[in-house]
Amino acid sequence: MTGSMMDRKFDSLFDWFDQNRDGHLTHDDLKATATVFSQVAPPEDHANITAIHDAFEQWWQLLLRHSDTDGDGRVSRGEFITVMKTDVTAPEHFESAVMAIADAILDAFDTDGDGVLSRAEYLRLYGALGVARQHTEEAFTRLDRDGSGTISYEEYRQAIVDFYLSTDPDAPGNYLLGPVDHPA
Ligand SMILES: [Ca+2]
Ligand SMILES: [Ca+2]
Ligand SMILES: [Ca+2]
C-alpha cells in the first residue's frame, strides 16, 4: 500500500509536468513547467526565476540520465515514477533538484517579505499554478501545522518532504497539489 501511495503522488506530478499531454515527458515539458512557475513570480524577481529554471533543468537531467534507457529523449510515465522513487528523491539529489525549487518559490511568493506565506500569498501561488481553490484552502490549513495562520519556511519545506518522501497516506504535505486519494 505504501508503494501505491507514492505511485499516486508521482502519477499526479507526471500529469502536471506533461504540459503538452502526449503521455511522455521531454525537455520541452520540463521547460514549460518551469515557465508556469516563473510566470507567476514577480517579473522583476530575476534571482528566483533563474533558480526555478535551473532547478527544473537539473531535475530534467536526472530524469534523462537515469531513465531514458533507449535514448530517444522521452521519459514515459512508468519510467518517471521509478526514477522519482529511486533517484530524484535520493538524498544527494533531492536538495538540489526539488528543494531548490521550493526555496525559490517560497522566496518569490512571500510578496510582503515577512519570511512566511500568508493565506493570501499561498492562495495566489497555487491558484496561479492551476490548483482548485477548495483544495488550496484545505492544503493551507493542513500545512500550517502549528495553526499560526501563516506557513513558515520550515512548514513549507516539511510539506515538500511529505509529498516527495512520505509513504504516510495522511501526511499533510500530500495535499500540496490537491487530494491524491482519488483513483489514478
Ligand atoms: Ca509531453
Ligand atoms: Ca509573507
Ligand atoms: Ca504556521
Side-chain angles (χ1 to χ4, degrees):
M1 281 310 286
T2 53
S4 74
M5 184 66 201
M6 299 308 290
D7 287 359
R8 290 205 300 276
K9 286 194 276 189
F10 294 140
D11 197 61
S12 58
L13 195 63
F14 182 93
D15 288 335
W16 208 38
F17 280 2
D18 182 17
Q19 292 279 326
N20 69 351
R21 300 268 178 266
D22 70 349
H24 284 90
L25 294 186
T26 62
H27 200 185
D28 283 346
D29 286 321
L30 271 281
K31 284 192 279 195
T33 306
T35 299
V36 169
F37 276 100
S38 59
Q39 280 176 344
V40 287
E44 69 280 9
D45 191 354
H46 301 294
N48 283 315
I49 289 170
T50 301
I52 289 167
H53 280 280
D54 287 352
F56 273 105
E57 180 63 26
Q58 175 144 5
W59 198 329
W60 170 249
Q61 293 302 331
L62 282 172
L63 294 177
L64 199 61
R65 185 157 6 113
H66 293 283
S67 76
D68 178 27
T69 46
D70 63 359
D72 69 349
R74 305 194 307 171
V75 175
S76 72
R77 184 180 298 270
E79 288 171 335
F80 176 75
I81 291 172
T82 300
V83 75
M84 283 303 299
K85 289 195 284 195
T86 57
D87 293 293
V88 177
T89 53
E92 67 271 29
H93 298 140
F94 189 65
E95 192 68 33
S96 57
V98 180
M99 277 304 185
I101 295 172
D103 289 352
I105 288 171
L106 195 78
D107 216 43
F109 288 89
D110 172 23
T111 45
D112 65 0
D114 67 350
V116 295
L117 289 182
S118 65
R119 184 174 284 266
E121 287 168 342
Y122 186 88
L123 293 181
R124 182 177 161 270
L125 164 60
Y126 280 89
L129 294 178
V131 180
R133 176 66 177 251
Q134 86 237 40
H135 298 326
T136 313
E137 290 273 10
E138 186 179 358
F140 184 90
T141 303
R142 287 173 184 265
L143 302 191
D144 176 20
R145 292 179 196 233
D146 65 359
S148 65
T150 58
I151 294 177
S152 66
Y153 184 76
E154 291 73 23
E155 285 170 334
Y156 193 69
R157 284 181 67 100
Q158 184 59 49
I160 302 290
V161 168
D162 279 355
F163 185 87
Y164 289 97
L165 303 180
S166 177
T167 56
D168 176 2
D170 297 321
N174 292 350
Y175 281 78
L176 212 51
L177 300 179
V180 287
D181 54 349
H182 57 78

